[in-house]
Amino acid sequence: MNQPDLPAGIMPDYRRQIPEDLLARRGSWVWHEILQPGVIRHVAVDGSAILTVRVLLPPNGLLSASTLRLFASWIRVYALTGRRTSRQGFEFVGVRPEKLTEFLGKLRDAGFPPGGTGRSLHQVKCCTSFIHCQNAAVDAPSIAKAIADHFYGEFFQNDLPAPLKISVGGCPNQCGGGIEADIGIMGLYESVPEVDIEKFLAANIDIGLLVSWCPTGAIRTKTTPKGTLALIDRERCVRCTSCVQVAPEGIRLQKKSYVAIAVGGHGGNGARGPEMAAVVFPRVPARPVEYGAILKRVAGIIDCWHREGLPGERLAAFIERIGWGRFLQKIGADTVEDLGEKRPPYNNFRRDLHFRY
């Protein structure tokens, strides 16, 4: 292993995690191809190549200690190293070609099927939601599992017009990444938080902190003889629950929730550049654990694009080609009003990496 030459710092040097065989070819990769679902061949400038096997993981990429030990044992026998992907899947890097068939069988038998590469459905990404987050309006991992189960065959078909990425976020903060996915599911609370005046004044809440935590500037203050109150602008509030986290004693939230479905986002750096998704189904029931209303609408979006999309055409490009009005009509988004050919029906809550109003 090469000695580190980066400036000293707190974080571990990533190069210490890479085998020498792989580190020696760092920066020399020029091409990759999909050999079969989940199997990628990376080619270096000198003509040498390595195999990578990508497998699907449980929602949010959650892994138990026993599964991590199993993966480590497989790496020792079949590959050079392993890594988590940005979409919460897992890749075994540098798989030995002579052991590929045996390894693929091991993975399938253990319930970690190779797939999610090329023109197929990729790992469904989601936030942690109720597992350890206090902001979640819906349970994103269970929605992600329902979607992955329903469209299971799409992980291995490689016959879609282009890669399909679906992400699920439990609240408007969108840690699950729905705003930059081809199809994004976003959990939303039904009502705006309410201020309980007596409890708010009695709790001696840090007003400055409360105002600073609101990402859209929806909180205003009002001085009264009994103290300073917070007022919530219903038009600006996106129901992210940040205010409830700062002032749980004085601001309460009704727990009824639903999801919105957005389409056309992607984070790639191609000719079009990254684009934010736009909401096409603004209010869909999220009834655990079958989530039938969500699956029906996602299926309609995929079927339309699968049937009429051109080879290599991502969902955003497809919608742009046929027009938003026609697309909404084809997927049955008849609840959306004020359609227009030149703009999405609804903008997302975000225009970039920050909230905007």
Side-chain angles (χ1 to χ4, degrees), residues 147-334:
I147 292 173
D149 287 347
H150 189 82
F151 299 102
Y152 186 72
E154 297 294 347
F155 288 114
F156 319 108
Q157 295 300 320
N158 205 38
D159 64 350
L160 294 171
L164 172 61
K165 299 179 180 179
I166 301 177
S167 299
V168 187
C171 77
N173 292 304
Q174 284 300 291
C175 301
I179 55 171
E180 37 75 340
D182 296 291
I183 300 176
I185 316 293
M186 298 176 285
L188 296 166
Y189 282 109
E190 186 168 293
S191 59
V192 171
E194 297 176 352
V195 178
D196 186 316
I197 296 176
E198 291 188 5
K199 291 182 178 178
F200 188 92
L201 292 172
N204 192 28
I205 290 164
D206 185 334
I207 298 296
L209 179 63
L210 176 63
V211 171
S212 69
W213 268 43
C214 178
T216 61
I219 295 181
R220 300 284 188 270
T221 59
K222 178 181 180 181
T223 301
T224 72
K226 293 183 179 180
T228 302
L229 271 177
L231 304 177
I232 300 175
D233 185 333
R234 302 179 67 86
E235 295 299 319
R236 299 181 72 96
C237 177
V238 294
R239 292 159 282 170
C240 70
T241 76
S242 295
C243 58
V244 181
Q245 315 310 321
V246 178
E249 308 92 341
I251 300 179
R252 60 173 181 259
L253 184 67
Q254 300 295 325
K255 292 296 184 180
K256 292 183 178 179
S257 60
Y258 59 95
V259 302
I261 298 177
V263 300
H266 60 88
N269 197 30
R272 297 173 59 92
E275 294 178 283
M276 298 294 175
V279 175
V280 291
F281 292 108
R283 188 185 181 88
V284 181
R287 297 191 179 96
V289 288
E290 52 92 17
Y291 298 115
I294 297 173
L295 296 176
K296 177 182 176 182
R297 287 161 176 80
V298 172
I301 294 168
I302 296 175
D303 288 345
C304 175
W305 173 61
H306 193 178
R307 188 174 57 251
E308 301 185 27
L310 301 176
E313 195 174 49
R314 292 288 289 265
L315 185 54
F318 167 66
I319 297 170
E320 183 176 288
R321 177 168 60 83
I322 69 171
W324 278 97
R326 285 184 62 200
F327 176 71
L328 294 171
Q329 186 179 35
K330 287 175 178 290
I331 64 173
D334 53 3

Side-chain angles (χ1 to χ4, degrees), residues 22-45:
L22 192 58
L23 191 60
R25 286 185 277 181
R26 183 180 58 162
S28 68
W29 306 107
V30 294
W31 180 248
H32 72 270
E33 59 184 339
I34 310 299
L35 300 183
Q36 59 179 287
V39 180
I40 309 165
R41 181 173 180 263
H42 297 272
V43 181
V45 67

Side-chain angles (χ1 to χ4, degrees), residues 76-127:
R76 292 189 189 98
V77 176
Y78 297 106
L80 294 174
T81 189
R83 73 177 195 94
R84 271 276 302 269
T85 71
S86 62
R87 293 200 59 78
Q88 303 171 344
F90 194 90
E91 288 184 345
F92 295 89
V93 181
V95 172
R96 295 171 175 80
E98 71 278 11
K99 292 182 175 291
L100 177 63
T101 302
E102 175 186 329
F103 185 38
L104 295 178
K106 288 266 186 185
L107 291 168
R108 294 190 184 97
D109 291 345
F112 296 100
T117 51
R119 294 186 296 114
S120 67
L121 173 61
H122 290 220
Q123 169 93 27
V124 179
K125 182 180 172 184
C126 70
C127 68

